Amino acid sequence: MILDRFRLDNRVAVITGGGGGLGTLAALTFAGAGADIVLLGRNEVNLEATANEVRALGRTALPITVDVTDGAALAAAAERIEAELGGIDILFNNAGITSTKTLRDIPPEEWQALLDVNVTGSYLAIRAVTPALIRRGGGRIINMGSILSARGMANRVAYSTTKAAVANMAAALAFELGPHGITVNTLAPTVIVTDLNREAVRTQPELYEAIVKRTPLGRLGEPDDLSGALLLLASDAGRYMTGQTLFVDGGYTAG
């Protein structure tokens, strides 16, 4: 049956930035489809909270405290995952930070921090898990992108730059990793309202009302709006998709 292609039974999904927000959403989505979950992040308490939600679904959850800018630590985490769970099948590069400063206001060190986490962190995570994916005979890599990889917005120069970079990273790696049975895609949502940005949405109504006005479906995104796309990119249902940017944006980029 076609729905069986969306199942992730006996697969291991690794999620960076797994301690909240969209990381938790992805963990519960993948676990609900049958996967065991590895959560990578810097906040041990938040990772354990998400892990407990996964365990409540009857799946294994392994939280590992790690900084995605530390390549050696990521490589060690990949080795531990293989040893404890038998392999890696899916990587969701979700860890990221943002900035709302203009070109003139953002200091070089903040610009560099966004590049380090959003771009280099994604590269290091992919580099760490790729040998395990190859040993499994293939797998799925999903980079977290944004509508801002394809559309401009004031005061988002650093963030937009990093999201365009991870989308093109996926496109390039599709050619390099495709022969190994590994797909590499980018999920590019509009604003998804979570606990991490709810206050910003409340305190900057004009900005977010403008986004809603430009969005054909007339609202901001909710976490569950991404579940289907995540499963598509992570499962056999999307096995012939690679190098693509999948916009889940209520139609924002259609205009």
Side-chain angles (χ1 to χ4, degrees), residues 46 55-57 69 91 146 174 179 185 187 206 220 223 243:
N46 290 347
R55 293 169 186 141
L57 296 176
T69 64
L91 170 66
S146 167
N185 292 290
L187 179 63
E206 291 184 1
L220 300 177

Side-chain angles (χ1 to χ4, degrees), residues 14-234:
V14 178
I15 302 167
T16 70
L22 299 183
T24 298
L25 167 75
L28 298 180
T29 298
F30 295 156
D36 293 322
I37 307 298
V38 180
L39 303 163
L40 305 183
R42 293 182 294 183
N43 189 310
E44 183 177 358
V45 173
N46 290 347
L47 291 177
E48 190 60 38
T50 299
N52 285 334
E53 292 189 63
V54 170
R55 293 169 186 141
L57 296 176
R59 305 309 309 171
T60 297
L62 175 62
I64 302 177
T65 305
V66 66
D67 189 322
V68 295
T69 64
D70 187 338
L74 285 170
E79 291 181 1
R80 178 182 171 187
I81 295 163
E82 279 201 282
E84 295 191 21
L85 300 180
I88 299 171
D89 302 284
I90 301 159
L91 170 66
F92 179 35
N93 265 322
N94 174 64
I97 57 176
T98 190
S99 170
T100 58
K101 294 179 181 175
T102 67
L103 174 67
R104 293 177 63 86
D105 291 337
I106 186 169
E109 58 270 20
E110 186 172 332
W111 172 275
Q112 188 63 51
L114 265 77
L115 291 174
D116 289 344
V117 175
N118 296 359
V119 182
T120 303
S122 296
Y123 148 75
L124 290 173
I126 293 171
R127 193 170 190 268
V129 307
T130 294
L133 295 178
I134 292 173
R135 283 190 284 271
R136 289 282 245 199
R140 306 284 180 262
I141 296 171
I142 307 167
N143 284 347
M144 174 52 80
S146 167
I147 56 172
L148 297 185
S149 66
R151 296 291 186 272
M153 183 179 290
N155 305 337
R156 297 294 193 281
V157 59
Y159 184 74
S160 298
T161 298
T162 64
K163 291 307 178 181
V166 297
N168 280 278
M169 181 192 303
L173 287 175
F175 288 92
E176 185 173 334
L177 299 180
H180 299 286
I182 300 169
T183 65
V184 193
N185 292 290
T186 302
L187 179 63
T190 183
V191 177
I192 304 295
V193 182
T194 69
D195 290 341
L196 300 179
N197 64 2
R198 202 176 307 278
E199 182 65 15
V201 172
R202 187 187 67 80
T203 58
Q204 301 178 61
E206 291 184 1
L207 170 62
Y208 293 98
E209 286 169 8
I211 294 173
V212 167
K213 186 176 181 180
R214 179 173 164 169
T215 301
L217 291 184
R219 64 175 176 85
L220 300 177
E222 301 172 0
D224 280 349
D225 291 328
L226 296 184
S227 297
L230 279 167
L231 269 185
L232 173 65
L233 296 178

